Amino acid sequence: MIESADIREWRTHDVVDAGGHKIGALEAVYVDTSTDEPAMASVQVGLPTRHRLVFVPLDGAIVGPDYIKVRYDKSLVKDCPAIGTDDVLPAADEEAIFRHYGMDYQTGTGGERQLARR
């Protein structure tokens, strides 16, 4: 399991796929609100003048000295629903991200969102 205390040190590290192909730079980590464990990462992708943030699950991720390797292919991650680099992930958009990766989405019992940014 990835230690939550190390999350702050990951910002700006490269995010790579299982084949070692760079996807982008880690922007933030989102934890599952029911477990407080790292669940998703936002990754800055795109051209220098057109950056955007995409999301990738952290299940099975490996943290190296200057990278985070995820188990999802670069093309799948880059096709994920995106937000602007200055935007906040709207609660209504969370489910689409989970669906993109074939994952179940479940809000809290009081309708709370599943992800919280760290």
Side-chain angles (χ1 to χ4, degrees), residues 3-109:
E3 294 296 321
S4 298
D6 298 336
I7 290 173
R8 287 178 194 86
E9 298 172 13
W10 300 354
R11 285 199 64 165
T12 71
H13 283 181
D14 288 344
V15 177
V16 299
D17 69 7
H21 303 101
K22 182 178 177 182
I23 298 169
L26 182 93
E27 190 271 336
V29 172
Y30 288 74
V31 297
D32 184 314
T33 57
S34 64
T35 64
D36 206 42
E37 293 294 330
M40 294 262 182
S42 58
V43 181
Q44 185 173 324
V45 299
L47 301 172
T49 58
R50 292 184 293 175
H51 284 140
R52 60 193 169 94
L53 298 176
V54 294
F55 294 84
V56 62
L58 291 173
D59 59 312
I62 298 169
V63 179
D66 59 353
Y67 66 88
I68 295 98
K69 183 182 284 190
V70 295
R71 64 184 196 119
Y72 298 90
D73 188 68
K74 177 180 179 175
S75 61
L76 179 65
V77 176
K78 287 196 166 191
D79 285 343
C80 180
I83 61 172
T85 55
D86 293 330
D87 295 340
V88 175
L89 176 63
D93 293 352
E94 284 186 1
E95 186 173 2
I97 292 167
F98 279 77
R99 270 197 325 258
H100 178 77
Y101 291 103
M103 301 169 66
D104 292 331
Y105 178 75
Q106 185 174 353
T107 58
T109 55

